[in-house]
Amino acid sequence: MKINILTLFPEMFTPLTSSMLGRASDKGILEFNIVNIRDFSQDKHCKADDYPFGGGHGMVLMADPAFRALESVGAEKTRNIYMSPRGKILDMDLSEDIAREREITVFCGHYEGIDQRIIDAWDMQEVSIGDYILTGGELAAMVLIDTVSRMVPDVLPKEASAFDESIYSGLLEYPQYTQPRSYRGMDVPDILVSGNHKLIALWKFEQSLALTKVRRPDIFEQYVNKRSELSKDELKVLEKFLK
Ligand code: ADE
């Protein structure tokens, strides 16, 4: 998958060269094309923003450098996303949908906003990462790129699945433990070292249900409403949480 990133702060995307995403781009599974919008300013001082028409505080990113930057990456042929607190909230369904594209362009605004004509003319889908305001779209873009990338085939190692984790399965993830079995007086639950895989699976399911019911009653409710896919033993566990 090719990901064009249009930003006034290209240095903020250095983390894409490390860890899983760095490895995936070294292997050619992901290609990051980071473009500085300011490089497309025709102004002798490389100005890219100006005061808003109609008044208001702050500066607004101008259409011309943005249009030229978008033209340079061929954004008329890509799915275009503008990171904005006004947008649709990013979730696993939206990430999965974006991950099916061959090429996307992620546009980051900064400070007060961008000229609306950029959004309109380039058919940009506005996406938010949550109900809070960041100083710019860069960190939001990193979040989107990370979650979308991990769903692209071969980005995660073979043994990991992009789809069997917390939230995607419909429940929050159960607690995990590793060595040592006893640490500063705190012991790993006996069931996890029992070797009984069936009981272990049911314990994990029960823990997930307990956490989800307390922390995310909204998704617990959704889960309960589609419980037909559960085994008899799982249904028995679930019933304990329905009283
Ligand atoms: N830009 C500023 N705040 C944002 C948010 N919450 N999501 C996406 N882009 C943003």
Side-chain angles (χ1 to χ4, degrees):
M1 178 186 216
K2 182 170 178 185
I3 303 179
N4 302 300
I5 302 162
L6 273 59
T7 172
L8 291 168
F9 299 94
E11 64 281 4
M12 286 182 76
F13 292 89
T14 311
L16 293 178
T17 57
S18 55
S19 190
M20 294 277 187
L21 303 196
R23 260 193 307 265
S25 74
D26 289 345
K27 286 197 222 149
I29 303 164
L30 298 172
E31 180 185 348
F32 300 115
N33 177 28
I34 303 168
V35 173
N36 190 342
I37 301 165
R38 200 178 296 283
D39 290 346
F40 293 85
S41 169
Q42 305 277 84
D43 178 84
K44 65 173 181 289
H45 303 293
C46 292
K47 191 169 105 151
D49 53 12
D50 211 329
Y51 296 100
F53 277 120
H57 54 95
M59 304 290 268
V60 173
L61 186 74
M62 296 161 81
D64 189 60
F67 272 57
R68 289 175 189 278
L70 286 156
E71 279 155 6
S72 81
V73 301
E76 66 284 350
K77 297 191 300 289
T78 65
R79 175 161 176 180
N80 301 329
I81 293 162
Y82 170 51
M83 304 313 304
S84 154
R86 252 174 19 178
K88 179 176 164 64
I89 302 268
L90 182 65
D91 62 12
M92 291 300 268
D93 286 344
L94 181 54
S95 307
E96 204 182 335
D97 182 52
I98 297 170
R100 280 192 280 265
E101 305 286 345
R102 215 178 37 80
E103 181 173 354
I104 63 171
T105 299
V106 183
F107 195 95
C108 307
H110 226 79
Y111 311 131
E112 299 309 320
I114 70 175
D115 192 302
Q116 182 64 33
R117 289 168 290 191
I118 305 166
I119 299 169
D120 295 343
W122 292 85
D123 195 20
M124 291 199 177
Q125 177 178 22
E126 295 188 48
V127 176
S128 166
I129 63 160
D131 289 336
Y132 41 81
I133 313 286
L134 303 165
T135 55
E138 282 75 11
L139 289 174
M142 288 289 290
V143 169
L144 177 132
I145 291 164
D146 191 278
T147 184
V148 166
S149 294
R150 64 187 289 288
M151 289 192 199
V152 172
D154 301 324
V155 168
L156 292 188
K158 272 203 179 53
E159 61 278 11
S161 160
F163 302 104
D164 67 4
E165 305 243 349
S166 181
I167 295 285
Y168 198 86
S169 67
L171 292 173
L172 301 184
E173 197 170 42
Y174 49 82
Q176 306 237 52
Y177 299 88
T178 185
Q179 298 289 354
R181 200 167 150 178
S182 185
Y183 180 69
R184 300 194 185 199
M186 296 176 286
D187 294 337
V188 172
D190 287 337
I191 182 84
L192 293 178
V193 290
S194 69
N196 185 331
H197 297 296
K198 197 175 154 200
L199 285 183
I200 291 172
L202 287 174
W203 178 86
K204 289 177 176 178
F205 181 55
E206 184 170 5
Q207 294 287 317
S208 284
L209 286 169
L211 278 172
T212 311
K213 188 171 182 187
V214 171
R215 295 190 188 172
R216 293 294 302 272
D218 54 331
I219 62 173
F220 181 80
E221 186 95 359
Q222 277 172 30
Y223 187 82
V224 169
N225 291 335
K226 62 165 180 87
R227 68 183 128 155
S228 58
E229 297 140 38
L230 297 179
S231 70
K232 235 164 104 187
D233 286 337
E234 285 169 333
L235 272 174
K236 236 190 261 164
V237 173
L238 178 64
E239 265 156 30
K240 288 197 261 179
F241 293 87
L242 299 179
K243 284 170 198 149

